[in-house]
């Protein structure tokens, strides 16, 4: 069953139950009102019971079947009960001592234990009647017998009327339920159509017009879908840009490799083009350098494409030990450059593998721009409730033009273009900072050189995401 059908059925059933409940309540209320009216009419005759008893006694017995009292439009039966409990024949209906017998309350009334009047329901000749018994002044009691036939007929007519109204109400409720479901789900249908259009056309730039105001549930759903589409569109754009930039950057080392390999191959195939040992050694060194550059670039592209996510959980980690490990990974990059780490040990919640790689990239960038014999300082401290890692070098520094873009993917400043590198190392640092809810910044060092700063919250939001 579709959502529209279920909603229509539920709405119809709810309204139908409400109509049925209202009809039953109305019928019971009318019934109670009619019976109360009968009781009030009977009780209104209590002051006249003495006169009615004398009248009934004076009527000849043979003529009693032709005489009747009326209460409203209904005949009113009269029976006299003697002080010893004998029921004397009276006026129809309920005439005859066998028609109604004394009950316990009437016996107690005759004995003087109860004061009247008494009311009860009885069946006389297969017909429901209402009986009122009132005590007489000189002993005995008088019964008034009120048939309920007219009340039952009225209630039957009302029941049929309410049944018709209920049936019409249920039919109307079904129609209104279907209309309400169709109208209420129309925004959902538009949302589904828009989502199917995106799925068919693969157009992530398409947006859904949210219906109603911002508090409308469907409008909020449309806003969430639009936000999801925007995120997917941005992710696909970044992926496409990464692929395009990677292809562009990989083209240079691949071209160099093909050229050098072509020279070596032709020297082997054509004896007249034999290379000298020094030329062959230079080509092999170039091949090794370009192969290493290509390997590093591919590894960094893969790392960047993974979005900085790691299968490892966030852990409480000693940052000083992590920085020491990251520095140790860079020793072979420039052995002639000294790296000095300063700062006390303290802990923060981080992704250890991601952060260690980011710090290693910062240190590697610093030692690559440093001259042999120079010193790179790595400072670790707490600053404004955050863990701060600063890497300071004495290299050529960062120009005003390059400063805003040093953390962009594949961006290499003027000084960096003269040395080996992919332009991805600092982009990976920025990605790691974002993953940890921190920041990264670049600046100039007094006296020359650059300062790269990575700040991470000590009480990391990673705990909430874990």
């Amino acid at each position: 069953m579709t959502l529209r059908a279920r909603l229509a059925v539920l709405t119809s059933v709810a309204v139908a139950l409400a109509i049925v409940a209202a009809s039953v309540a109305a019928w019971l209320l009318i019934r109670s009102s009619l019976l109360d009216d009968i009781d009030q009419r009977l009780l209104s005759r209590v002051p006249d019971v003495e006169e009615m008893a004398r009248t009934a006694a004076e009527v000849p017995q043979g003529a009693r079947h032709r005489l009747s009292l009326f209460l409203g439009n209904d005949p009113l039966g009269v029976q006299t009960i003697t002080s010893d409990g004998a029921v004397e024949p009276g006026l129809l209906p309920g005439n005859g001592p066998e028609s109604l017998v004394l009950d316990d309350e009437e016996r107690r009334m005759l004995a003087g234990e109860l004061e009247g009047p008494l009311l009860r329901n009885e069946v006389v000749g297969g017909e429901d009647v209402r009986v009122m018994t009132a005590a007489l002044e000189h002993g005995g009691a008088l019964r008034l017998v009120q048939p309920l036939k007219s009340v039952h007929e009225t209630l039957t007519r009302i029941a049929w009327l309410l049944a018709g109204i209920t049936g019409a109400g249920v039919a109307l409720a079904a129609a209104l339920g279907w209309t309400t479901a169709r109208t209420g789900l129309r925004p959902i249908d538009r949302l589904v159509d828009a989502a199917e259009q995106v799925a068919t056309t693969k157009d992530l730039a398409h947006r859904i017009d949210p219906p109603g105001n911002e508090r409308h549930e469907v409008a909020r759903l449309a806003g969430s879908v639009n936000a999801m589409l925007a995120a997917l569109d941005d992710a696909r754009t970044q992926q496409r840009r990464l692929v395009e930039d990677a292809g562009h950057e990989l083209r240079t080392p691949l071209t160099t490799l093909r050229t050098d390999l072509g020279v070596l191959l032709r020297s082997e195939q054509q004896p007249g083009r034999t290379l000298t040992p020094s030329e062959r050694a230079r080509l092999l060194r170039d091949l090794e350098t370009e192969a290493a550059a290509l390997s590093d670039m591919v590894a960094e592209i893969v790392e960047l494409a993974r979005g900085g996510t790691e299968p490892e959980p966030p852990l409480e980690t000693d940052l000083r030990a992590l920085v020491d490990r990251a520095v140790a990974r860079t020793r072979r990059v420039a052995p002639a450059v000294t790296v000095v780490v300063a700062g006390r040990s303290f802990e923060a919640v981080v992704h250890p593998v991601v952060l260690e790689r980011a710090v290693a990239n910062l240190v590697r960038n610093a030692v690559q721009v440093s001259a042999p014999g120079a010193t790179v300082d790595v400072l670790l401290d707490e600053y404004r409730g955050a863990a701060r890692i600063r890497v300071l070098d004495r290299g050529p520094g960062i120009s005003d033009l390059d400063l805003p873009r040093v953390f962009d993917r594949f961006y290499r400043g003027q000084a960096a273009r003269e040395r080996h590198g992919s332009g991805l190392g600092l982009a990976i640092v920025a990605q790691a900072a974002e993953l940890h809810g921190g920041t990264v910044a670049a600046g100039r060092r007094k006296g020359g050189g650059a300062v790269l700063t990575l700040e991470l919250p000590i009480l990391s939001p990673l705990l909430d995401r874990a």
Side-chain angles (χ1 to χ4, degrees):
M1 184 181 292
T2 64
L3 177 61
R4 180 180 286 104
R6 288 198 299 270
L7 184 58
V9 169
L10 289 176
T11 304
S12 303
V13 169
V15 176
L17 290 176
I19 294 174
V20 170
S23 299
V24 172
W27 186 86
L28 292 175
L29 182 61
I30 294 172
R31 178 180 180 275
S32 177
S33 178
L34 291 175
L35 293 177
D36 287 343
D37 184 61
I38 293 293
D39 289 344
Q40 292 302 320
R41 290 183 183 183
L42 289 173
L43 293 173
S44 68
R45 292 299 185 99
V46 172
D48 303 327
V49 294
E50 297 290 342
E51 182 179 354
M52 294 173 67
R54 288 194 299 269
T55 302
E58 293 173 356
V59 176
Q61 186 172 356
R64 289 180 179 178
H65 68 281
R66 298 192 300 270
L67 297 176
S68 295
L69 293 177
F70 284 88
L71 181 61
N73 295 324
D74 294 326
L76 180 64
V78 179
Q79 286 185 338
T80 302
I81 305 175
T82 64
S83 58
D84 58 0
V87 180
E88 296 182 352
L91 301 179
L92 297 174
N95 189 20
E98 74 282 354
S99 298
L100 294 170
V101 297
L102 289 177
D103 66 1
D104 292 338
E105 289 187 341
E106 287 178 332
R107 295 181 189 278
R108 294 175 63 190
M109 176 184 285
L110 293 175
E113 299 177 3
L114 285 179
E115 294 183 0
L118 303 175
L119 292 169
R120 73 179 192 274
N121 289 333
E122 292 287 351
V123 178
V124 176
E127 182 179 354
D128 292 334
V129 295
R130 187 71 167 166
V131 179
M132 184 193 76
T133 305
L136 298 174
E137 292 182 359
H138 303 292
L142 184 74
R143 283 178 178 164
L144 297 182
V145 182
Q146 173 70 52
L148 300 179
K149 181 179 179 181
S150 62
V151 174
H152 291 331
E153 290 176 349
T154 300
L155 290 175
T156 300
R157 289 194 298 269
I158 293 174
W160 281 109
L161 177 62
L162 291 177
I165 294 174
T166 301
V170 170
L172 180 61
L176 290 177
W178 180 260
T179 303
T180 301
R182 185 174 182 180
T183 303
L185 293 178
R186 188 173 293 125
I188 299 292
D189 291 336
R190 292 200 297 268
L191 190 63
V192 171
D193 292 340
E196 289 178 347
Q197 179 181 352
V198 172
T200 302
T201 62
K202 304 299 188 295
D203 180 17
L204 295 178
H206 180 77
R207 295 294 179 268
I208 300 170
D209 295 330
N213 55 44
E214 294 182 355
R215 295 184 179 180
H216 195 283
E217 289 79 0
V218 179
R220 292 170 56 193
L221 178 59
S224 300
V225 173
N226 285 336
M228 179 186 67
L229 291 175
L232 291 175
D233 190 24
D234 182 63
R236 189 170 69 175
T237 300
Q238 292 185 12
Q239 183 184 44
R240 184 185 298 113
R241 185 181 301 119
L242 177 63
V243 172
E244 292 174 353
D245 292 345
H248 175 75
E249 294 295 328
L250 290 173
R251 189 176 296 115
T252 299
L254 287 174
T255 301
T256 303
L257 284 173
R258 291 186 62 185
T259 301
D260 290 347
L261 286 173
V263 172
L264 285 175
L265 184 61
R266 286 191 296 272
S267 68
E268 295 293 332
Q269 294 176 345
Q270 300 178 13
R273 296 187 177 184
T274 301
L275 297 176
T276 64
S278 61
E279 291 175 334
R280 180 182 292 274
R282 180 179 57 81
L283 279 176
L284 290 176
R285 285 194 300 273
D286 289 344
L287 285 172
E288 183 182 14
T289 300
E290 293 300 330
L294 185 61
S295 177
D296 291 343
M297 186 178 297
V298 169
E300 291 177 334
I301 290 173
V302 171
E303 170 63 25
L304 207 59
R306 293 170 62 184
T309 59
E310 286 286 331
E312 60 169 349
L315 301 173
E316 192 170 356
T317 304
D318 185 342
L319 292 187
R320 175 57 192 262
L322 183 146
V323 170
D324 288 338
R325 291 195 301 270
V327 169
R329 293 173 58 175
T330 64
R331 299 291 186 191
R332 62 181 180 82
V333 176
V337 177
T338 302
V339 180
V340 178
V341 180
R344 66 178 182 84
S345 297
F346 61 93
E347 295 186 342
V349 178
V350 297
H351 289 292
V353 174
V354 174
L355 185 59
E356 183 177 331
R357 185 182 297 115
V359 175
N361 284 352
L362 288 175
V363 177
R364 183 182 297 108
N365 180 81
V367 299
Q368 285 177 339
V369 300
S370 299
T375 300
V376 171
D377 296 311
V378 181
L379 307 180
L380 173 64
D381 62 359
E382 294 183 53
Y383 180 72
R384 294 179 181 178
R388 184 172 62 173
I389 303 172
R390 290 177 293 167
V391 179
L392 302 85
D393 62 61
R394 289 297 183 185
I398 305 173
S399 68
D400 292 337
L401 182 64
D402 295 335
L403 200 59
R405 301 189 60 190
V406 293
F407 295 103
D408 292 350
R409 295 178 178 181
F410 297 103
Y411 183 78
R412 301 178 68 195
Q414 184 63 39
R417 296 189 183 106
E418 299 174 359
R419 67 179 187 274
H420 165 69
S422 64
L424 292 176
L426 295 184
I428 292 176
V429 175
Q431 186 171 265
E434 181 181 0
L435 176 66
H436 288 82
T439 60
V440 66
R444 299 186 187 87
R445 185 180 184 182
K446 291 182 180 180
V451 180
L452 299 179
T453 304
L454 174 61
E455 291 188 7
L456 307 171
I458 294 178
L459 298 177
S460 176
L462 294 173
L463 287 176
D464 299 331
R465 292 187 243 162

